[in-house]
Amino acid sequence: MTLTEPGELQSIKVVSDKHGVYFGLARKGPIVFVAERNADIDQKPITPGDPVDVIRVYVMLPGGRLLPTPIRYGHKDFYDLHEIEADQNSLFVTVSKYPFLLKKSIIGSDQPLPVNEAVPSHLKRHDDHTFDAYHINCASRGGDHLYVLAHNWDDPSFAMRLSLKEAHQGRVVCTRVYENLGSCCHDIVPMGDVFWTLDSRGSALVRVSIETGKQDRFLLESPSDPDLLGSGETIGIPFPRGLARFGDLLAVSYGFNEDRADRMDSNAMLAVFDLKKEIFTNHIHLGKHGNTCAVLSL
């Protein structure tokens, strides 16, 4: 989609709608990496014959058009793919299977990053080698660090700041932990001396000081326009999942539920947050494409 400078919708185009939930996006120059889960809530392929849980390579043409390529990256531990981050010649990939974080080389070897080893003792679960123990759903680069976010189910969400240099070498070294970020948190966007994240169940955008951990919260309220979604549609409580910076704006993607069964064809929404005014200025309805997840600025 294209936004105007004030954050209003200018145009929208569906690039692909054949592979279920697209939860991970990353960019390296003209190359865009897209996590294709291609599975319904029962893990059955939505498009038969196509693989489940791969990262497809797209190329961004000079005019801005995204062109899918036949290049796809897979791995035996790819399962329930979430956010991905590109850095140097590697992709950092969050998955629901142990080790929960992988370094997938674009060229060369792949390495598991057992991120649970960095979890502080007071936050550790009894058996964190089991399936999706912390629901690690985001890895984001900020300077020389990699920020990893734990949704953490019904317990408060937390984030860990890892050494990016060590992560590239296949080691997990935690330099700081940020606790009590909210409930069922999604996405992290580092920005200078703070990072932004989403308290999904609390319907809030959260700013966190990287140095002190101090938090400032901005409530994402339901749209005030009853006709925004069309006649007969019900506006519910926002459940945000995706976050990206566009100049002096933040784009927050959200749906109105956290029910997996409704994610495929529910209303897709985008809220615009003005970084200078520190307020939400606009809500945009993107159609019934399912709950919006990842956002990437192109």
Side-chain angles (χ1 to χ4, degrees):
M1 78 195 72
T2 303
L3 299 180
T4 64
E5 190 172 334
E8 297 175 350
L9 182 63
Q10 189 173 62
S11 64
I12 182 170
K13 179 181 179 180
V14 176
V15 177
S16 176
D17 60 357
K18 297 179 180 179
H19 297 100
V21 178
Y22 297 82
F23 220 125
L25 296 168
R27 179 184 178 185
K28 183 177 177 62
I31 304 299
V32 177
F33 302 94
V34 180
E36 295 181 355
R37 299 227 302 238
N38 191 30
D40 61 19
I41 61 172
D42 298 315
Q43 290 300 310
K44 295 179 180 178
I46 290 175
T47 302
D50 281 359
V52 175
D53 286 314
V54 296
I55 297 174
R56 184 185 294 273
V57 174
Y58 283 70
V59 175
M60 189 170 65
L61 302 179
R65 179 186 171 199
L66 278 177
L67 182 68
T69 75
I71 301 172
R72 295 180 298 210
Y73 297 110
H75 191 277
K76 64 181 178 61
D77 290 326
F78 278 10
Y79 183 83
D80 197 29
L81 292 180
H82 277 69
E83 287 287 350
I84 54 181
E85 177 66 281
D87 187 66
Q88 297 181 24
N89 289 319
S90 296
L91 292 170
F92 292 98
V93 185
T94 56
V95 296
S96 294
K97 287 173 58 177
Y98 177 83
F100 312 129
L101 183 64
L102 302 168
K103 185 173 78 76
K104 174 68 177 172
S105 294
I106 298 173
I107 51 174
S109 61
D110 308 325
Q111 290 180 300
L113 295 173
V115 69
N116 59 312
E117 294 180 1
V119 176
S121 58
H122 67 286
L123 294 175
K124 271 190 173 292
R125 294 183 180 270
H126 174 67
D127 183 0
D128 59 7
H129 283 66
T130 56
F131 175 76
D132 212 9
Y134 302 99
H135 197 58
I136 304 294
N137 63 17
C138 174
S140 294
R141 179 182 178 273
D144 55 358
H145 289 93
L146 188 70
Y147 293 83
V148 176
L149 180 64
H151 168 295
N152 212 24
W153 301 113
D154 289 332
D155 289 329
S157 301
F158 64 91
M160 296 181 292
R161 186 180 67 180
L162 309 181
S163 165
L164 185 59
K165 179 181 178 181
E166 298 285 349
H168 274 294
Q169 297 172 357
R171 296 188 292 270
V172 179
V173 177
C174 182
T175 61
R176 186 174 182 117
V177 178
Y178 303 90
E179 298 184 44
N180 299 310
L181 297 176
S183 180
C184 304
C185 287
H186 287 77
D187 219 340
I188 282 181
V189 172
M191 196 181 303
D193 59 356
V194 303
F195 69 80
W196 296 82
T197 189
L198 297 167
D199 176 0
S200 300
R201 187 171 285 171
S203 299
L205 173 65
V206 185
R207 180 175 59 203
V208 183
S209 167
I210 291 174
E211 180 64 28
T212 68
K214 178 182 178 296
Q215 298 180 20
D216 296 292
R217 307 175 72 80
F218 305 90
L219 184 64
L220 174 60
E221 298 179 321
S222 299
S224 57
D225 182 1
D227 298 322
L228 179 64
L229 307 184
S231 176
E233 290 285 342
T234 301
I235 293 178
I237 299 173
F239 192 90
R241 284 189 176 87
L243 183 62
R245 183 178 185 178
F246 292 76
D248 291 326
L249 305 174
L250 284 175
V252 178
S253 64
Y254 70 95
F256 293 117
N257 60 74
E258 54 180 300
D259 184 354
R260 292 182 67 90
D262 294 332
R263 292 184 187 177
M264 304 307 297
D265 57 5
S266 56
N267 287 296
M269 304 295 298
L270 195 73
V272 177
F273 182 83
D274 190 309
L275 287 165
K276 292 183 176 179
K277 298 178 181 177
E278 297 192 347
I279 57 172
F280 284 98
T281 59
N282 195 19
H283 291 263
I284 301 170
H285 183 217
L286 304 177
K288 296 181 74 67
H289 301 295
N291 281 5
T292 39
C293 298
V295 185
L296 178 67
S297 173
L298 297 176

